[in-house]
Amino acid sequence: MLLVRGTRSLIYLSSKQQIINISSSSCKVALTTSSTSFISTFNNNQNNNNKYSQLSYYSSTKMSKPGVTEAAVKQDPRDTIFAKIVEGSIPCKKVYEDDDCLAFDDISPQAPVHVLLIPKHPIGGINDATEEHATVLGKLMTKVPKIAKLKDIDHSGYRLVVNEGIHGQQSVRWLHIHILGGRQLNWPPC
Ligand code: AMP
């Protein structure tokens, strides 16, 4: 553990964390592992009495995700991997299906339960949603409790995430709802 003293802050760092920038208002800390990098931004806030836990929250934030590119967010949804999953030419671990939607396990789960719920109709992302999609999007939301029950997370709770574009770190341009649960999730999520 290394103790860093800013003008009004004390920050505890593990041996794998490195300070990359410190100012009177904030401190940026990098943590690099073999597979990914994390950046923590610690704001020097006088009202913050629990600095170590705040840093821990930020430390769990991944700054990059494979597949999030300008090309990916401009892709026609009909050319994406989810289009192939809907048409059945690529397999998935199906959780639920009806005429309007399909739910399947995420290939790279971020929680013990990580299901993707998608409409069968091609919609690139929430930015592309219009009045004509209201019915299908409404149907999608009403399937969430059913899927949560199938995965036995309806009582413990869960989180829905819809990523949009580059800042939202969307990697597949076919609208999908992440259903995450099976463990205590952190807040803030960013
Ligand atoms: P997003 O990054 O929000 O666009 O979410 C796309 C998600 O799709 C990621 O969590 C990926 O792990 C997941 N994913 C990509 N390919 C597959 C696949 N073939 N089967 C299941 N999940 C996938």
Side-chain angles (χ1 to χ4, degrees), residues 65-66 68 81-82 85 90-93 104-110 114 116 161-164 168-174 176 178:
K65 185 162 77 173
V68 181
I81 192 153
F82 290 179
I85 288 176
I90 286 188
C92 68
K93 286 176 97 176
F104 52 93
D105 287 330
D106 195 294
I107 206 165
S108 174
Q110 301 301 311
H114 187 170
L116 299 172
V161 174
V162 177
N163 295 322
E164 170 60 49
Q169 297 220 6
Q170 182 181 12
S171 60
V172 179
R173 192 81 200 147
W174 181 296
H176 48 282
H178 296 258

PDB file of all heavy atoms in Angstrom, residues 65-66 68 81-82 85 90-93 104-110 114 116 161-164 168-174 176 178, ligand 1:
ATOM      1  N   LYS A  65     -13.532  -1.726 -24.210  1.00  0.00           N
ATOM      2  CA  LYS A  65     -14.185  -3.018 -24.403  1.00  0.00           C
ATOM      3  C   LYS A  65     -13.902  -3.441 -25.840  1.00  0.00           C
ATOM      4  O   LYS A  65     -14.009  -2.617 -26.752  1.00  0.00           O
ATOM      5  CB  LYS A  65     -15.681  -2.834 -24.172  1.00  0.00           C
ATOM      6  CG  LYS A  65     -16.469  -4.113 -24.210  1.00  0.00           C
ATOM      7  CD  LYS A  65     -17.827  -3.944 -23.570  1.00  0.00           C
ATOM      8  CE  LYS A  65     -18.796  -3.221 -24.444  1.00  0.00           C
ATOM      9  NZ  LYS A  65     -20.148  -3.166 -23.948  1.00  0.00           N
ATOM     10  N   PRO A  66     -13.556  -4.709 -26.074  1.00  0.00           N
ATOM     11  CA  PRO A  66     -13.276  -5.134 -27.439  1.00  0.00           C
ATOM     12  C   PRO A  66     -14.473  -4.888 -28.352  1.00  0.00           C
ATOM     13  O   PRO A  66     -15.616  -5.079 -27.933  1.00  0.00           O
ATOM     14  CB  PRO A  66     -13.010  -6.640 -27.299  1.00  0.00           C
ATOM     15  CG  PRO A  66     -12.886  -6.909 -25.866  1.00  0.00           C
ATOM     16  CD  PRO A  66     -13.489  -5.770 -25.101  1.00  0.00           C
ATOM     17  N   VAL A  68     -15.644  -2.094 -29.664  1.00  0.00           N
ATOM     18  CA  VAL A  68     -16.289  -0.775 -29.683  1.00  0.00           C
ATOM     19  C   VAL A  68     -15.495   0.117 -30.635  1.00  0.00           C
ATOM     20  O   VAL A  68     -14.446   0.652 -30.269  1.00  0.00           O
ATOM     21  CB  VAL A  68     -16.355  -0.143 -28.274  1.00  0.00           C
ATOM     22  CG1 VAL A  68     -17.050   1.205 -28.343  1.00  0.00           C
ATOM     23  CG2 VAL A  68     -17.066  -1.065 -27.303  1.00  0.00           C
ATOM     24  N   ILE A  81     -23.661  -9.865 -35.710  1.00  0.00           N
ATOM     25  CA  ILE A  81     -23.711 -11.251 -35.217  1.00  0.00           C
ATOM     26  C   ILE A  81     -25.086 -11.582 -34.627  1.00  0.00           C
ATOM     27  O   ILE A  81     -25.545 -12.724 -34.703  1.00  0.00           O
ATOM     28  CB  ILE A  81     -22.563 -11.485 -34.201  1.00  0.00           C
ATOM     29  CG1 ILE A  81     -22.425 -12.971 -33.905  1.00  0.00           C
ATOM     30  CG2 ILE A  81     -22.746 -10.696 -32.924  1.00  0.00           C
ATOM     31  CD1 ILE A  81     -21.071 -13.391 -33.484  1.00  0.00           C
ATOM     32  N   PHE A  82     -25.776 -10.567 -34.086  1.00  0.00           N
ATOM     33  CA  PHE A  82     -27.095 -10.842 -33.503  1.00  0.00           C
ATOM     34  C   PHE A  82     -28.120 -11.159 -34.600  1.00  0.00           C
ATOM     35  O   PHE A  82     -29.050 -11.928 -34.369  1.00  0.00           O
ATOM     36  CB  PHE A  82     -27.565  -9.684 -32.625  1.00  0.00           C
ATOM     37  CG  PHE A  82     -26.785  -9.541 -31.332  1.00  0.00           C
ATOM     38  CD1 PHE A  82     -27.072  -8.519 -30.438  1.00  0.00           C
ATOM     39  CD2 PHE A  82     -25.769 -10.426 -30.997  1.00  0.00           C
ATOM     40  CE1 PHE A  82     -26.361  -8.384 -29.251  1.00  0.00           C
ATOM     41  CE2 PHE A  82     -25.039 -10.304 -29.818  1.00  0.00           C
ATOM     42  CZ  PHE A  82     -25.341  -9.277 -28.943  1.00  0.00           C
ATOM     43  N   ILE A  85     -27.646 -14.709 -35.146  1.00  0.00           N
ATOM     44  CA  ILE A  85     -28.222 -15.491 -34.035  1.00  0.00           C
ATOM     45  C   ILE A  85     -29.744 -15.582 -34.200  1.00  0.00           C
ATOM     46  O   ILE A  85     -30.333 -16.645 -34.044  1.00  0.00           O
ATOM     47  CB  ILE A  85     -27.806 -14.882 -32.668  1.00  0.00           C
ATOM     48  CG1 ILE A  85     -26.315 -15.175 -32.413  1.00  0.00           C
ATOM     49  CG2 ILE A  85     -28.665 -15.426 -31.534  1.00  0.00           C
ATOM     50  CD1 ILE A  85     -25.737 -14.549 -31.164  1.00  0.00           C
ATOM     51  N   ILE A  90     -25.950 -18.785 -36.411  1.00  0.00           N
ATOM     52  CA  ILE A  90     -24.935 -18.849 -35.343  1.00  0.00           C
ATOM     53  C   ILE A  90     -25.667 -19.275 -34.079  1.00  0.00           C
ATOM     54  O   ILE A  90     -26.735 -18.730 -33.770  1.00  0.00           O
ATOM     55  CB  ILE A  90     -24.219 -17.484 -35.176  1.00  0.00           C
ATOM     56  CG1 ILE A  90     -23.270 -17.276 -36.345  1.00  0.00           C
ATOM     57  CG2 ILE A  90     -23.483 -17.398 -33.852  1.00  0.00           C
ATOM     58  CD1 ILE A  90     -22.376 -16.078 -36.221  1.00  0.00           C
ATOM     59  N   PRO A  91     -25.115 -20.266 -33.359  1.00  0.00           N
ATOM     60  CA  PRO A  91     -25.836 -20.768 -32.179  1.00  0.00           C
ATOM     61  C   PRO A  91     -25.738 -19.810 -30.986  1.00  0.00           C
ATOM     62  O   PRO A  91     -24.854 -18.960 -30.927  1.00  0.00           O
ATOM     63  CB  PRO A  91     -25.109 -22.078 -31.861  1.00  0.00           C
ATOM     64  CG  PRO A  91     -23.745 -21.905 -32.433  1.00  0.00           C
ATOM     65  CD  PRO A  91     -23.854 -20.972 -33.600  1.00  0.00           C
ATOM     66  N   CYS A  92     -26.656 -19.969 -30.072  1.00  0.00           N
ATOM     67  CA  CYS A  92     -26.592 -19.217 -28.809  1.00  0.00           C
ATOM     68  C   CYS A  92     -27.143 -20.126 -27.710  1.00  0.00           C
ATOM     69  O   CYS A  92     -27.793 -21.137 -28.000  1.00  0.00           O
ATOM     70  CB  CYS A  92     -27.410 -17.934 -28.907  1.00  0.00           C
ATOM     71  SG  CYS A  92     -29.194 -18.223 -29.025  1.00  0.00           S
ATOM     72  N   LYS A  93     -26.863 -19.733 -26.467  1.00  0.00           N
ATOM     73  CA  LYS A  93     -27.445 -20.463 -25.338  1.00  0.00           C
ATOM     74  C   LYS A  93     -28.761 -19.786 -24.999  1.00  0.00           C
ATOM     75  O   LYS A  93     -28.801 -18.806 -24.243  1.00  0.00           O
ATOM     76  CB  LYS A  93     -26.480 -20.467 -24.149  1.00  0.00           C
ATOM     77  CG  LYS A  93     -25.304 -21.405 -24.358  1.00  0.00           C
ATOM     78  CD  LYS A  93     -24.311 -21.331 -23.231  1.00  0.00           C
ATOM     79  CE  LYS A  93     -24.523 -22.411 -22.210  1.00  0.00           C
ATOM     80  NZ  LYS A  93     -23.479 -22.391 -21.152  1.00  0.00           N
ATOM     81  N   PHE A 104     -30.678 -14.739 -24.675  1.00  0.00           N
ATOM     82  CA  PHE A 104     -29.629 -15.769 -24.638  1.00  0.00           C
ATOM     83  C   PHE A 104     -28.506 -15.307 -23.715  1.00  0.00           C
ATOM     84  O   PHE A 104     -28.348 -14.115 -23.449  1.00  0.00           O
ATOM     85  CB  PHE A 104     -29.101 -16.073 -26.054  1.00  0.00           C
ATOM     86  CG  PHE A 104     -28.665 -14.863 -26.836  1.00  0.00           C
ATOM     87  CD1 PHE A 104     -27.354 -14.425 -26.831  1.00  0.00           C
ATOM     88  CD2 PHE A 104     -29.597 -14.134 -27.579  1.00  0.00           C
ATOM     89  CE1 PHE A 104     -26.956 -13.312 -27.555  1.00  0.00           C
ATOM     90  CE2 PHE A 104     -29.207 -13.012 -28.315  1.00  0.00           C
ATOM     91  CZ  PHE A 104     -27.885 -12.598 -28.297  1.00  0.00           C
ATOM     92  N   ASP A 105     -27.708 -16.275 -23.240  1.00  0.00           N
ATOM     93  CA  ASP A 105     -26.595 -15.946 -22.348  1.00  0.00           C
ATOM     94  C   ASP A 105     -25.516 -15.180 -23.097  1.00  0.00           C
ATOM     95  O   ASP A 105     -25.164 -15.543 -24.230  1.00  0.00           O
ATOM     96  CB  ASP A 105     -25.981 -17.226 -21.765  1.00  0.00           C
ATOM     97  CG  ASP A 105     -26.870 -17.877 -20.727  1.00  0.00           C
ATOM     98  OD1 ASP A 105     -27.621 -17.157 -20.043  1.00  0.00           O
ATOM     99  OD2 ASP A 105     -26.823 -19.124 -20.610  1.00  0.00           O
ATOM    100  N   ASP A 106     -24.984 -14.134 -22.453  1.00  0.00           N
ATOM    101  CA  ASP A 106     -23.869 -13.396 -23.039  1.00  0.00           C
ATOM    102  C   ASP A 106     -22.645 -14.310 -23.074  1.00  0.00           C
ATOM    103  O   ASP A 106     -22.370 -15.049 -22.135  1.00  0.00           O
ATOM    104  CB  ASP A 106     -23.577 -12.136 -22.206  1.00  0.00           C
ATOM    105  CG  ASP A 106     -22.697 -11.157 -22.939  1.00  0.00           C
ATOM    106  OD1 ASP A 106     -21.510 -11.476 -23.206  1.00  0.00           O
ATOM    107  OD2 ASP A 106     -23.181 -10.054 -23.255  1.00  0.00           O
ATOM    108  N   ILE A 107     -21.901 -14.219 -24.172  1.00  0.00           N
ATOM    109  CA  ILE A 107     -20.721 -15.074 -24.355  1.00  0.00           C
ATOM    110  C   ILE A 107     -19.571 -14.673 -23.419  1.00  0.00           C
ATOM    111  O   ILE A 107     -18.684 -15.467 -23.136  1.00  0.00           O
ATOM    112  CB  ILE A 107     -20.273 -15.033 -25.839  1.00  0.00           C
ATOM    113  CG1 ILE A 107     -19.531 -16.290 -26.230  1.00  0.00           C
ATOM    114  CG2 ILE A 107     -19.458 -13.788 -26.153  1.00  0.00           C
ATOM    115  CD1 ILE A 107     -19.383 -16.468 -27.728  1.00  0.00           C
ATOM    116  N   SER A 108     -19.627 -13.458 -22.942  1.00  0.00           N
ATOM    117  CA  SER A 108     -18.576 -12.961 -22.049  1.00  0.00           C
ATOM    118  C   SER A 108     -19.233 -12.345 -20.800  1.00  0.00           C
ATOM    119  O   SER A 108     -19.281 -11.137 -20.627  1.00  0.00           O
ATOM    120  CB  SER A 108     -17.739 -11.918 -22.798  1.00  0.00           C
ATOM    121  OG  SER A 108     -16.813 -11.314 -21.953  1.00  0.00           O
ATOM    122  N   PRO A 109     -19.752 -13.218 -19.924  1.00  0.00           N
ATOM    123  CA  PRO A 109     -20.590 -12.728 -18.822  1.00  0.00           C
ATOM    124  C   PRO A 109     -19.836 -11.835 -17.836  1.00  0.00           C
ATOM    125  O   PRO A 109     -18.711 -12.133 -17.460  1.00  0.00           O
ATOM    126  CB  PRO A 109     -21.069 -14.017 -18.141  1.00  0.00           C
ATOM    127  CG  PRO A 109     -20.125 -15.077 -18.575  1.00  0.00           C
ATOM    128  CD  PRO A 109     -19.593 -14.678 -19.914  1.00  0.00           C
ATOM    129  N   GLN A 110     -20.496 -10.758 -17.441  1.00  0.00           N
ATOM    130  CA  GLN A 110     -19.915  -9.807 -16.482  1.00  0.00           C
ATOM    131  C   GLN A 110     -20.504  -9.991 -15.081  1.00  0.00           C
ATOM    132  O   GLN A 110     -20.202  -9.226 -14.167  1.00  0.00           O
ATOM    133  CB  GLN A 110     -20.166  -8.370 -16.957  1.00  0.00           C
ATOM    134  CG  GLN A 110     -19.591  -8.074 -18.329  1.00  0.00           C
ATOM    135  CD  GLN A 110     -18.083  -8.296 -18.395  1.00  0.00           C
ATOM    136  OE1 GLN A 110     -17.350  -7.816 -17.535  1.00  0.00           O
ATOM    137  NE2 GLN A 110     -17.623  -9.044 -19.386  1.00  0.00           N
ATOM    138  N   HIS A 114     -25.932 -13.148 -16.878  1.00  0.00           N
ATOM    139  CA  HIS A 114     -25.772 -12.071 -17.872  1.00  0.00           C
ATOM    140  C   HIS A 114     -26.473 -12.531 -19.138  1.00  0.00           C
ATOM    141  O   HIS A 114     -25.933 -13.305 -19.928  1.00  0.00           O
ATOM    142  CB  HIS A 114     -24.291 -11.779 -18.134  1.00  0.00           C
ATOM    143  CG  HIS A 114     -24.060 -10.576 -19.002  1.00  0.00           C
ATOM    144  ND1 HIS A 114     -22.807 -10.014 -19.194  1.00  0.00           N
ATOM    145  CD2 HIS A 114     -24.909  -9.817 -19.731  1.00  0.00           C
ATOM    146  CE1 HIS A 114     -22.913  -8.978 -19.996  1.00  0.00           C
ATOM    147  NE2 HIS A 114     -24.182  -8.841 -20.360  1.00  0.00           N
ATOM    148  N   LEU A 116     -28.700 -11.487 -22.640  1.00  0.00           N
ATOM    149  CA  LEU A 116     -28.996 -10.433 -23.616  1.00  0.00           C
ATOM    150  C   LEU A 116     -30.400 -10.664 -24.148  1.00  0.00           C
ATOM    151  O   LEU A 116     -30.716 -11.766 -24.595  1.00  0.00           O
ATOM    152  CB  LEU A 116     -27.993 -10.475 -24.773  1.00  0.00           C
ATOM    153  CG  LEU A 116     -26.531 -10.252 -24.379  1.00  0.00           C
ATOM    154  CD1 LEU A 116     -25.615 -10.504 -25.578  1.00  0.00           C
ATOM    155  CD2 LEU A 116     -26.309  -8.853 -23.819  1.00  0.00           C
ATOM    156  N   VAL A 161     -29.151  -2.902 -18.669  1.00  0.00           N
ATOM    157  CA  VAL A 161     -28.221  -1.943 -19.286  1.00  0.00           C
ATOM    158  C   VAL A 161     -28.461  -1.941 -20.791  1.00  0.00           C
ATOM    159  O   VAL A 161     -28.541  -3.003 -21.410  1.00  0.00           O
ATOM    160  CB  VAL A 161     -26.743  -2.334 -19.005  1.00  0.00           C
ATOM    161  CG1 VAL A 161     -25.782  -1.430 -19.764  1.00  0.00           C
ATOM    162  CG2 VAL A 161     -26.444  -2.305 -17.516  1.00  0.00           C
ATOM    163  N   VAL A 162     -28.584  -0.742 -21.347  1.00  0.00           N
ATOM    164  CA  VAL A 162     -28.641  -0.588 -22.803  1.00  0.00           C
ATOM    165  C   VAL A 162     -27.507   0.356 -23.191  1.00  0.00           C
ATOM    166  O   VAL A 162     -27.530   1.533 -22.836  1.00  0.00           O
ATOM    167  CB  VAL A 162     -29.991  -0.016 -23.279  1.00  0.00           C
ATOM    168  CG1 VAL A 162     -29.984   0.191 -24.795  1.00  0.00           C
ATOM    169  CG2 VAL A 162     -31.146  -0.924 -22.880  1.00  0.00           C
ATOM    170  N   ASN A 163     -26.494  -0.167 -23.855  1.00  0.00           N
ATOM    171  CA  ASN A 163     -25.375   0.664 -24.292  1.00  0.00           C
ATOM    172  C   ASN A 163     -25.686   1.290 -25.642  1.00  0.00           C
ATOM    173  O   ASN A 163     -26.275   0.638 -26.500  1.00  0.00           O
ATOM    174  CB  ASN A 163     -24.096  -0.175 -24.386  1.00  0.00           C
ATOM    175  CG  ASN A 163     -23.653  -0.703 -23.038  1.00  0.00           C
ATOM    176  OD1 ASN A 163     -23.764  -0.022 -22.029  1.00  0.00           O
ATOM    177  ND2 ASN A 163     -23.175  -1.939 -22.997  1.00  0.00           N
ATOM    178  N   GLU A 164     -25.265   2.533 -25.816  1.00  0.00           N
ATOM    179  CA  GLU A 164     -25.505   3.228 -27.092  1.00  0.00           C
ATOM    180  C   GLU A 164     -24.222   3.923 -27.536  1.00  0.00           C
ATOM    181  O   GLU A 164     -23.652   4.710 -26.773  1.00  0.00           O
ATOM    182  CB  GLU A 164     -26.646   4.245 -26.934  1.00  0.00           C
ATOM    183  CG  GLU A 164     -26.848   5.202 -28.119  1.00  0.00           C
ATOM    184  CD  GLU A 164     -27.178   4.498 -29.442  1.00  0.00           C
ATOM    185  OE1 GLU A 164     -28.061   3.645 -29.467  1.00  0.00           O
ATOM    186  OE2 GLU A 164     -26.526   4.821 -30.453  1.00  0.00           O
ATOM    187  N   GLY A 168     -21.216   4.975 -24.870  1.00  0.00           N
ATOM    188  CA  GLY A 168     -21.960   3.920 -24.174  1.00  0.00           C
ATOM    189  C   GLY A 168     -21.287   2.557 -24.287  1.00  0.00           C
ATOM    190  O   GLY A 168     -21.732   1.588 -23.686  1.00  0.00           O
ATOM    191  N   GLN A 169     -20.209   2.480 -25.083  1.00  0.00           N
ATOM    192  CA  GLN A 169     -19.456   1.246 -25.325  1.00  0.00           C
ATOM    193  C   GLN A 169     -20.340   0.128 -25.897  1.00  0.00           C
ATOM    194  O   GLN A 169     -20.327  -1.010 -25.436  1.00  0.00           O
ATOM    195  CB  GLN A 169     -18.736   0.787 -24.052  1.00  0.00           C
ATOM    196  CG  GLN A 169     -17.706   1.792 -23.587  1.00  0.00           C
ATOM    197  CD  GLN A 169     -16.434   1.142 -23.075  1.00  0.00           C
ATOM    198  OE1 GLN A 169     -16.236  -0.054 -23.158  1.00  0.00           O
ATOM    199  NE2 GLN A 169     -15.546   1.954 -22.552  1.00  0.00           N
ATOM    200  N   GLN A 170     -21.082   0.502 -26.934  1.00  0.00           N
ATOM    201  CA  GLN A 170     -21.874  -0.506 -27.654  1.00  0.00           C
ATOM    202  C   GLN A 170     -20.967  -1.194 -28.670  1.00  0.00           C
ATOM    203  O   GLN A 170     -20.320  -0.529 -29.483  1.00  0.00           O
ATOM    204  CB  GLN A 170     -23.054   0.165 -28.375  1.00  0.00           C
ATOM    205  CG  GLN A 170     -23.946  -0.824 -29.094  1.00  0.00           C
ATOM    206  CD  GLN A 170     -25.112  -0.143 -29.822  1.00  0.00           C
ATOM    207  OE1 GLN A 170     -25.118   1.083 -29.972  1.00  0.00           O
ATOM    208  NE2 GLN A 170     -26.066  -0.928 -30.265  1.00  0.00           N
ATOM    209  N   SER A 171     -20.908  -2.505 -28.632  1.00  0.00           N
ATOM    210  CA  SER A 171     -20.035  -3.215 -29.575  1.00  0.00           C
ATOM    211  C   SER A 171     -20.823  -3.964 -30.647  1.00  0.00           C
ATOM    212  O   SER A 171     -20.255  -4.347 -31.659  1.00  0.00           O
ATOM    213  CB  SER A 171     -19.115  -4.191 -28.828  1.00  0.00           C
ATOM    214  OG  SER A 171     -19.866  -5.146 -28.121  1.00  0.00           O
ATOM    215  N   VAL A 172     -22.113  -4.192 -30.417  1.00  0.00           N
ATOM    216  CA  VAL A 172     -22.938  -4.868 -31.428  1.00  0.00           C
ATOM    217  C   VAL A 172     -24.126  -3.965 -31.748  1.00  0.00           C
ATOM    218  O   VAL A 172     -24.935  -3.643 -30.877  1.00  0.00           O
ATOM    219  CB  VAL A 172     -23.444  -6.242 -30.931  1.00  0.00           C
ATOM    220  CG1 VAL A 172     -24.319  -6.902 -32.000  1.00  0.00           C
ATOM    221  CG2 VAL A 172     -22.277  -7.153 -30.566  1.00  0.00           C
ATOM    222  N   ARG A 173     -24.199  -3.545 -33.026  1.00  0.00           N
ATOM    223  CA  ARG A 173     -25.223  -2.562 -33.423  1.00  0.00           C
ATOM    224  C   ARG A 173     -26.561  -3.237 -33.745  1.00  0.00           C
ATOM    225  O   ARG A 173     -27.063  -3.182 -34.883  1.00  0.00           O
ATOM    226  CB  ARG A 173     -24.683  -1.757 -34.628  1.00  0.00           C
ATOM    227  CG  ARG A 173     -25.511  -0.527 -34.952  1.00  0.00           C
ATOM    228  CD  ARG A 173     -25.207   0.654 -34.092  1.00  0.00           C
ATOM    229  NE  ARG A 173     -26.313   1.612 -34.120  1.00  0.00           N
ATOM    230  CZ  ARG A 173     -26.674   2.373 -33.107  1.00  0.00           C
ATOM    231  NH1 ARG A 173     -26.028   2.314 -31.958  1.00  0.00           N
ATOM    232  NH2 ARG A 173     -27.671   3.196 -33.205  1.00  0.00           N
ATOM    233  N   TRP A 174     -27.072  -3.917 -32.757  1.00  0.00           N
ATOM    234  CA  TRP A 174     -28.427  -4.486 -32.801  1.00  0.00           C
ATOM    235  C   TRP A 174     -28.948  -4.279 -31.385  1.00  0.00           C
ATOM    236  O   TRP A 174     -28.372  -4.820 -30.432  1.00  0.00           O
ATOM    237  CB  TRP A 174     -28.390  -5.972 -33.161  1.00  0.00           C
ATOM    238  CG  TRP A 174     -29.743  -6.638 -33.262  1.00  0.00           C
ATOM    239  CD1 TRP A 174     -30.648  -6.802 -32.232  1.00  0.00           C
ATOM    240  CD2 TRP A 174     -30.357  -7.231 -34.413  1.00  0.00           C
ATOM    241  NE1 TRP A 174     -31.762  -7.455 -32.679  1.00  0.00           N
ATOM    242  CE2 TRP A 174     -31.616  -7.740 -34.028  1.00  0.00           C
ATOM    243  CE3 TRP A 174     -29.958  -7.398 -35.741  1.00  0.00           C
ATOM    244  CZ2 TRP A 174     -32.473  -8.388 -34.909  1.00  0.00           C
ATOM    245  CZ3 TRP A 174     -30.814  -8.052 -36.615  1.00  0.00           C
ATOM    246  CH2 TRP A 174     -32.052  -8.542 -36.209  1.00  0.00           C
ATOM    247  N   HIS A 176     -30.019  -4.238 -27.800  1.00  0.00           N
ATOM    248  CA  HIS A 176     -30.108  -5.345 -26.841  1.00  0.00           C
ATOM    249  C   HIS A 176     -30.127  -4.800 -25.427  1.00  0.00           C
ATOM    250  O   HIS A 176     -29.519  -3.773 -25.134  1.00  0.00           O
ATOM    251  CB  HIS A 176     -28.954  -6.334 -27.024  1.00  0.00           C
ATOM    252  CG  HIS A 176     -27.598  -5.696 -27.115  1.00  0.00           C
ATOM    253  ND1 HIS A 176     -27.139  -5.083 -28.263  1.00  0.00           N
ATOM    254  CD2 HIS A 176     -26.617  -5.565 -26.202  1.00  0.00           C
ATOM    255  CE1 HIS A 176     -25.918  -4.617 -28.051  1.00  0.00           C
ATOM    256  NE2 HIS A 176     -25.585  -4.881 -26.798  1.00  0.00           N
ATOM    257  N   HIS A 178     -28.990  -5.720 -21.696  1.00  0.00           N
ATOM    258  CA  HIS A 178     -28.222  -6.618 -20.832  1.00  0.00           C
ATOM    259  C   HIS A 178     -29.037  -6.808 -19.539  1.00  0.00           C
ATOM    260  O   HIS A 178     -29.453  -5.810 -18.929  1.00  0.00           O
ATOM    261  CB  HIS A 178     -26.876  -6.001 -20.443  1.00  0.00           C
ATOM    262  CG  HIS A 178     -25.934  -5.764 -21.582  1.00  0.00           C
ATOM    263  ND1 HIS A 178     -24.864  -6.589 -21.848  1.00  0.00           N
ATOM    264  CD2 HIS A 178     -25.879  -4.775 -22.511  1.00  0.00           C
ATOM    265  CE1 HIS A 178     -24.188  -6.119 -22.894  1.00  0.00           C
ATOM    266  NE2 HIS A 178     -24.782  -5.016 -23.315  1.00  0.00           N
TER     267      HIS A 178
HETATM  268  P1  AMP B   1     -22.636  -4.214 -26.193  1.00  0.00           P
HETATM  269  O1  AMP B   1     -21.155  -4.149 -26.051  1.00  0.00           O
HETATM  270  O2  AMP B   1     -23.420  -3.461 -25.201  1.00  0.00           O
HETATM  271  O3  AMP B   1     -22.999  -3.907 -27.622  1.00  0.00           O
HETATM  272  O4  AMP B   1     -23.033  -5.729 -25.920  1.00  0.00           O
HETATM  273  C1  AMP B   1     -22.744  -6.753 -26.811  1.00  0.00           C
HETATM  274  C2  AMP B   1     -22.629  -7.996 -26.017  1.00  0.00           C
HETATM  275  O5  AMP B   1     -22.729  -9.091 -26.896  1.00  0.00           O
HETATM  276  C3  AMP B   1     -21.318  -8.157 -25.259  1.00  0.00           C
HETATM  277  O6  AMP B   1     -21.573  -8.270 -23.866  1.00  0.00           O
HETATM  278  C4  AMP B   1     -20.723  -9.455 -25.837  1.00  0.00           C
HETATM  279  O7  AMP B   1     -20.087 -10.221 -24.864  1.00  0.00           O
HETATM  280  C5  AMP B   1     -21.956 -10.129 -26.389  1.00  0.00           C
HETATM  281  N1  AMP B   1     -21.736 -11.053 -27.483  1.00  0.00           N
HETATM  282  C6  AMP B   1     -21.014 -10.850 -28.599  1.00  0.00           C
HETATM  283  N2  AMP B   1     -21.090 -11.933 -29.391  1.00  0.00           N
HETATM  284  C7  AMP B   1     -21.881 -12.824 -28.772  1.00  0.00           C
HETATM  285  C8  AMP B   1     -22.341 -14.133 -29.085  1.00  0.00           C
HETATM  286  N3  AMP B   1     -21.996 -14.757 -30.215  1.00  0.00           N
HETATM  287  N4  AMP B   1     -23.154 -14.769 -28.187  1.00  0.00           N
HETATM  288  C9  AMP B   1     -23.499 -14.151 -27.044  1.00  0.00           C
HETATM  289  N5  AMP B   1     -23.103 -12.913 -26.695  1.00  0.00           N
HETATM  290  C10 AMP B   1     -22.303 -12.261 -27.548  1.00  0.00           C
END
